[in-house]
Amino acid sequence: MSTTRSPRRRADAAQIARRRLHARRKRRNAVALTLALAAMAFGIFWLIWILVETVRLGIGGMSLSLFTEMTPPPQAETGGLANAIFGSLAMVTLATLLGTPIGILAGIYLAEYSQRSWLGQTTRFINDILLSAPSIVIGLFIYSVVVARAKSFSGWAGVLALALIVIPVVIRTTENMLVADPERAARGRLRARHAEVARHPDGDPAARRAPASSPASCWRSRASPARPRRSSSPRSRTSSGPAT
Amino acid sequence: MVIPFIASVMRDVFDVTPPMLKESAYALGSTTWEVVWKVVLPYTKTGVVGGIMLGLGRAIGETMAVTFVIGNFNQLNSLSLFEAANSITSALANEFGEAAPGLHQASLMYLGLVLFLITFVVLSISKLLLQRLKRREGAVT
């Protein structure tokens, strides 16, 4: 009798232990989940507080004169912030106009031409450093290079500083977008040239731009040096070297 | 300002874990926490450290939010965090506009150099760690 009972009791004990382990794992999971949710709530809390306070305190001061009138001298009763707002818009527009072409071209270079070369790696590294460089350091740099040389402050100095901040961001984003494009790798295997891959995200460049040229023009070897200058004009595309 | 930054970097880092590893762990009966703690975190260790360094770099370089509230007071007599003080960025932002050419401006410039060196080192370390993670990703999947 006792011989039949003890194995069963042992099995029961094992089952209890297993259940306890299961409960403990479940509990630990719940605790971790709660902590994660609490961390998220902590972050959201500040965000919502900032938004609510901004709207609550700012809604009363909203008026048309804020955007149309100049900043008055101290103690004046009326006036707006038009000059600062205009300044911001002008700065940002010019900096974007200046920074976008450079950034996009550099991004294309990094994504298409130099995935693995040491120049590309170095550029990427430096760009990432520049990407998170403190803005005040960039300000100091522009001050010593532009303002101190020209001996006067200027809007252009501000534009340059902003452009220096914009360019690394554009480079990074452009490169990420191009690299993330799944068809890109396939077209690379079809030996489309780098510039064509970057310029025609959807479809066969040869068929689109030069229907009369031989279909072999899109079969140029990657081994033959693909230079961006060459492929930039459609005329040189047809004349630059035979197909492999 | 560090919270959202680190949060978004961490999301990217955790996404690197191969789904096959995670799904295998779930199939063996792991809880979510166990998957995170025993599969995802060990796999992304270097990336996590790199992300934290990136957040640190962000905090070092942050200017305006600190300048508004720190009080611009040059002292190191007490290390108390409850008194007005100065950081590199706030000293630069507060004083550079009025600095006379000469020693004052030069020393502020030097402060900027020190700041840039610090961020450069921190960012380089984080980049190296993140790169190592990426190399491993290529090796495993």
Side-chain angles (χ1 to χ4, degrees):
Chain A
M1 197 105 155
S2 64
T3 48
T4 51
R5 203 185 256 171
S6 83
R8 185 185 290 167
R9 209 179 281 160
R10 223 178 298 145
D12 284 352
Q15 186 138 23
I16 288 171
R18 214 178 309 136
R19 264 196 206 133
R20 207 172 285 155
L21 180 66
H22 183 237
R24 198 169 65 219
R25 289 173 57 205
K26 278 253 179 188
R27 217 178 312 128
R28 187 172 285 191
N29 190 41
V31 168
L33 192 64
T34 315
L35 285 179
L37 282 177
M40 189 202 69
F42 182 77
I44 299 266
F45 167 73
W46 297 105
L47 176 68
I48 289 181
W49 193 4
I50 292 174
L51 280 179
V52 168
E53 281 294 281
T54 311
V55 171
R56 191 173 67 82
L57 297 175
I59 203 88
M62 256 332 185
S63 66
L64 194 61
S65 63
L66 185 73
F67 298 100
T68 54
E69 286 176 35
M70 297 295 275
T71 305
Q75 264 91 45
E77 283 301 315
T78 57
L81 299 168
N83 51 343
I85 292 170
F86 173 78
S88 273
L89 291 181
M91 292 278 109
V92 170
T93 312
L94 286 174
T96 311
L97 285 179
L98 196 64
T100 311
I102 301 176
I104 288 185
L105 286 176
I108 290 175
Y109 171 76
L110 284 183
E112 300 294 343
Y113 293 89
S114 65
Q115 260 311 309
R116 303 244 168 255
S117 75
W118 69 266
L119 183 62
Q121 301 278 1
T122 317
T123 315
R124 208 167 289 126
F125 181 77
I126 302 284
N127 188 54
D128 280 355
I129 299 282
L130 209 54
L131 186 67
S132 3
S135 56
I136 200 159
V137 169
I138 291 173
L140 283 180
F141 173 71
I142 293 293
Y143 178 88
S144 54
V145 167
V146 179
V147 178
R149 292 271 161 79
K151 295 206 166 38
S152 83
F153 294 93
S154 64
W156 280 113
V159 169
L160 282 179
L162 281 185
L164 269 191
I165 295 174
V166 166
I167 289 173
V169 182
V170 179
I171 292 180
R172 185 82 231 205
T173 329
T174 309
E175 196 205 340
N176 283 351
M177 303 286 264
L178 287 177
V179 171
D181 180 8
E183 283 177 33
R184 188 185 140 272
R187 254 171 289 129
R189 234 153 268 145
L190 284 174
R191 301 192 185 287
R193 282 190 307 186
H194 303 294
E196 290 166 352
V197 173
R199 253 183 310 163
H200 303 274
D202 47 354
D204 179 8
R208 258 188 191 202
R209 297 195 54 225
S213 73
S214 71
S217 65
C218 66
W219 282 84
R220 247 165 235 133
S221 163
R222 237 185 198 188
S224 76
R227 273 169 248 151
R229 239 179 301 123
R230 271 185 162 187
S231 54
S232 63
S233 90
R235 215 179 123 259
S236 65
R237 265 177 85 252
T238 50
S239 61
S240 67
T244 48
Chain B
M1 299 182 75
V2 172
I3 293 176
F5 192 79
I6 292 195
S8 82
V9 174
M10 286 305 135
R11 229 195 110 234
D12 292 347
V13 166
F14 292 152
D15 270 352
V16 164
T17 321
M20 205 198 289
L21 286 184
K22 286 204 287 193
E23 279 162 17
S24 310
Y26 280 124
L28 288 172
S30 305
T31 59
T32 315
W33 172 246
E34 282 163 347
V35 171
V36 170
W37 191 247
K38 295 182 179 160
V39 177
V40 177
L41 271 182
Y43 187 84
T44 55
K45 218 182 316 159
T46 48
V48 169
V49 177
I52 293 174
M53 297 289 249
L54 278 183
L56 190 68
R58 174 96 195 265
I60 290 176
E62 177 47 41
T63 306
M64 288 329 285
V66 179
T67 306
F68 281 145
V69 294
I70 200 167
N72 191 28
F73 185 49
N74 290 318
Q75 60 97 11
L76 204 58
N77 300 326
S78 80
L79 288 175
S80 164
L81 281 177
F82 291 99
E83 289 173 32
N86 233 340
S87 72
I88 297 183
T89 49
S90 73
L92 280 173
N94 277 316
E95 294 184 24
F96 198 81
E98 290 117 51
L103 189 58
H104 195 180
Q105 206 173 62
S107 33
L108 286 178
M109 281 284 183
Y110 207 91
L111 203 54
L113 176 68
V114 170
L115 174 67
F116 189 60
L117 283 183
I118 295 175
T119 43
F120 191 89
V121 169
V122 169
L123 288 172
S124 303
I125 295 174
S126 74
K127 275 293 288 181
L128 286 179
L129 290 174
L130 287 170
Q131 225 162 39
R132 195 176 296 169
L133 171 77
K134 207 167 275 173
R135 211 170 299 143
R136 260 180 69 203
E137 171 198 11
V140 173
T141 46

